[in-house]
Amino acid sequence: MKRAGLAAAFLAIALPAAAQDAATLTQPLPEVTPAAAGVRFPQISVEIDMSMIGVGTTNATDHARTGTSVFLFGEIAAGLALTENFSIQGVLATEPVGEGDSTGGFPDGGVIGFQRQALFLEQLYAEFKPADTLVLQGGILVAPFGRGYHDFPGILASVRAHEVYLVDQSLGAAGTWTYLDDPRFGAHDISAAVFTLDRSFLTGTYVTSRRCCSERYERYNRNTAAQGGPGNNGTFNNGVLALDGDRIPFLPGFSYHAAVMSLAPGSDGTAREWGYALGARYEHRWDRDQATLFFAEAVQFRNAGGRPRVELDTTTTDVDTGEEIAGTEETTLSDRVTFSTLGVQHRFGRWRATALWQQLRRKRSIDPVPTENWYEASIGREIGSGFSADLGYQYARHVDEESGGTGTSHSILARLRYTGGF
């Protein structure tokens, strides 16, 4: 119970706090940079970014989705700087680990609070800066693929992106090189990482563990080879290559991200999964108090899931008796997943208004599923002392679990967020 007690203490610290930080390669933690000569080491820094989110579904074709769900989503990041250019960094993350819980769950007409809430180690790595333009990292990382999961505005946009394509708990090495930083052309980075899914005891969840007969758990214990999945092959032949750029003088307010990822199949797969990400942001500043941000991102996975082996139920007819005979047949599931986001946010002083659309499209060789769409609008305000609050509405067209067709839902969204550090 030592681990559970420690995790509970971390969770108690985080209760006021909002979802996801870090804007570079593998979500590096806050760093201690000496402001003047003579700064003493070691130095410790901690940052909290935590949200308490509420999703109240007032109407849905699938009754299990109606009701209210409240949960925490975010992280506690800590850095230990041993010298000016070497540090140890770690991230404790918290989120619901049940199927669908991080986007409202299945309250089944009631109110559920912090159901299947878990705390787990998302990152733990050493970071070395041999030069101002080069950062090297080794340990448990988040792969530098996509950026919407940590910087999408709105209430659930970044949470949904996190669920679809975040590649975390990756054991390996990574680096970022600023190959161009020129006032005429802007700043441009190239990032790369090689890794495999971490299977050590550090991957287990704290606070929450699976209980007998409780359904919908997506994860509850340490990663194992038996669970399969892309990148879970125990070999460092999985990789990401990414390009990022901003501060371009002839495109003021514009930034971009492009990435390609290749993951070897796990124990259940038959082919490599390939991922592609392309995102852009543009902020137009009207005056000192007002600015409008446009953001878009598209992520696609080919051979999603590593083209896993699956069993199909089959029916044949006995030629002599004419009776139907039930059986099974093994085949592979070919799946192409595309996740798209398009949105706008206008900020006026401490106030902000956000509108966005997200879509998850799956093209499967068997058992096709309908395309899912989410439309979200919200208004928020910075409260002060690191706190902010948002209130919004969501209309969704999603997969109906009962019919397998398209269902709809209407939800009220709320978020209380805290960001701060010391």
Side-chain angles (χ1 to χ4, degrees):
M1 296 298 293
K2 254 172 132 181
R3 291 202 314 174
L6 177 62
F10 271 112
L11 195 59
I13 294 172
L15 279 175
Q20 313 197 283
D21 190 23
T24 60
L25 172 64
T26 55
Q27 289 185 291
L29 300 178
E31 299 173 36
V32 180
T33 302
V39 174
R40 295 182 178 180
F41 292 93
Q43 291 189 5
I44 298 175
S45 61
V46 176
E47 289 203 6
I48 299 171
D49 187 359
M50 195 71 59
S51 292
M52 184 168 66
I53 300 175
V55 180
T57 301
T58 58
N59 181 272
T61 51
D62 181 358
H63 175 74
R65 293 177 181 267
T66 62
T68 301
S69 176
V70 180
F71 55 90
L72 291 177
F73 195 95
E75 64 189 25
I76 305 168
L80 172 63
L82 300 176
T83 69
E84 291 185 14
N85 56 6
F86 182 78
S87 63
I88 306 295
Q89 315 241 14
V91 174
L92 277 174
T94 183
E95 64 179 76
V97 292
E99 178 188 350
D101 284 352
S102 60
T103 51
F106 297 85
D108 199 21
V111 178
I112 56 176
F114 312 106
Q115 186 176 36
R116 293 182 284 267
Q117 189 80 44
L119 188 70
F120 58 94
L121 183 68
E122 186 176 76
Q123 301 183 69
L124 180 62
Y125 60 89
E127 180 174 282
F128 176 54
K129 293 185 174 180
D132 290 340
T133 58
L134 182 62
V135 179
L136 303 175
Q137 296 155 336
I140 303 171
L141 310 164
V142 167
F145 181 77
R147 56 187 260 177
Y149 61 84
H150 61 69
D151 66 10
F152 276 156
I155 298 176
L156 289 180
S158 61
V159 178
R160 243 185 311 269
H162 179 283
E163 290 295 293
V164 173
Y165 67 80
L166 176 70
V167 184
D168 62 352
Q169 293 192 330
S170 300
L171 179 64
T176 297
W177 173 44
T178 303
Y179 66 91
L180 178 63
D181 191 354
D182 190 293
R184 298 170 298 173
F185 304 109
H188 304 268
D189 302 332
I190 183 168
S191 303
V194 291
F195 55 88
T196 187
L197 182 68
D198 183 26
R199 299 176 187 166
S200 73
F201 70 95
L202 295 173
T203 61
T205 57
Y206 306 91
V207 181
T208 296
S209 60
R210 188 176 187 180
R211 295 172 175 81
C212 172
C213 314
S214 181
E215 298 179 351
R216 298 192 183 278
Y217 271 84
E218 290 183 321
R219 58 164 297 186
Y220 56 89
N221 209 338
R222 61 185 290 179
N223 296 325
T224 65
Q227 75 191 44
N232 184 13
N233 64 338
T235 305
F236 296 97
N237 62 350
N238 309 285
V240 178
L241 186 66
L243 295 173
D244 292 271
D246 60 4
R247 304 204 313 267
I248 304 171
F250 49 88
L251 291 172
F254 175 81
S255 64
Y256 69 88
H257 171 84
V260 59
M261 177 169 63
S262 179
L263 303 177
S267 59
D268 59 340
T270 62
R272 274 189 169 269
E273 178 183 87
W274 287 86
Y276 307 92
L278 183 63
R281 293 163 63 93
Y282 169 67
E283 183 178 70
H284 180 78
R285 183 157 291 281
W286 302 94
D287 53 38
R288 188 181 66 178
D289 296 323
Q290 293 192 72
T292 303
L293 172 68
F294 301 91
F295 55 96
E297 185 179 69
V299 173
Q300 185 175 91
F301 293 97
R302 300 196 176 197
N303 292 330
R307 193 174 286 181
R309 303 177 187 86
V310 295
E311 285 192 348
L312 289 178
D313 293 329
T314 60
T315 303
T316 59
T317 303
D318 189 300
V319 293
D320 296 324
T321 65
E323 294 182 357
E324 291 188 345
I325 303 173
T328 60
E329 176 185 338
E330 186 177 275
T331 185
T332 58
L333 171 62
S334 177
D335 193 3
R336 180 183 299 180
V337 177
T338 304
F339 182 68
S340 307
T341 302
L342 184 64
V344 59
Q345 181 182 76
H346 183 76
R347 302 184 70 94
F348 181 81
R350 292 190 170 190
W351 290 90
R352 57 178 175 262
T354 308
L356 60 93
W357 160 79
Q358 290 183 303
Q359 182 185 83
L360 180 63
R361 181 185 295 272
R362 306 190 68 170
K363 186 176 180 180
R364 296 159 57 103
S365 57
I366 55 175
D367 295 330
V369 295
T371 298
E372 299 184 278
N373 290 273
W374 298 270
Y375 304 86
E376 179 184 316
S378 64
I379 296 176
R381 189 180 191 279
E382 301 294 331
I383 300 173
S385 300
F387 287 90
S388 64
D390 296 87
L391 183 65
Y393 163 78
Q394 174 184 270
Y395 170 68
R397 295 179 61 83
H398 49 74
V399 177
D400 190 302
E401 288 200 339
E402 293 183 2
S403 67
T406 300
T408 61
S409 64
H410 301 264
S411 303
I412 302 299
L413 312 178
R415 180 179 72 170
L416 176 64
R417 180 180 184 181
Y418 173 80
T419 56
F422 54 90

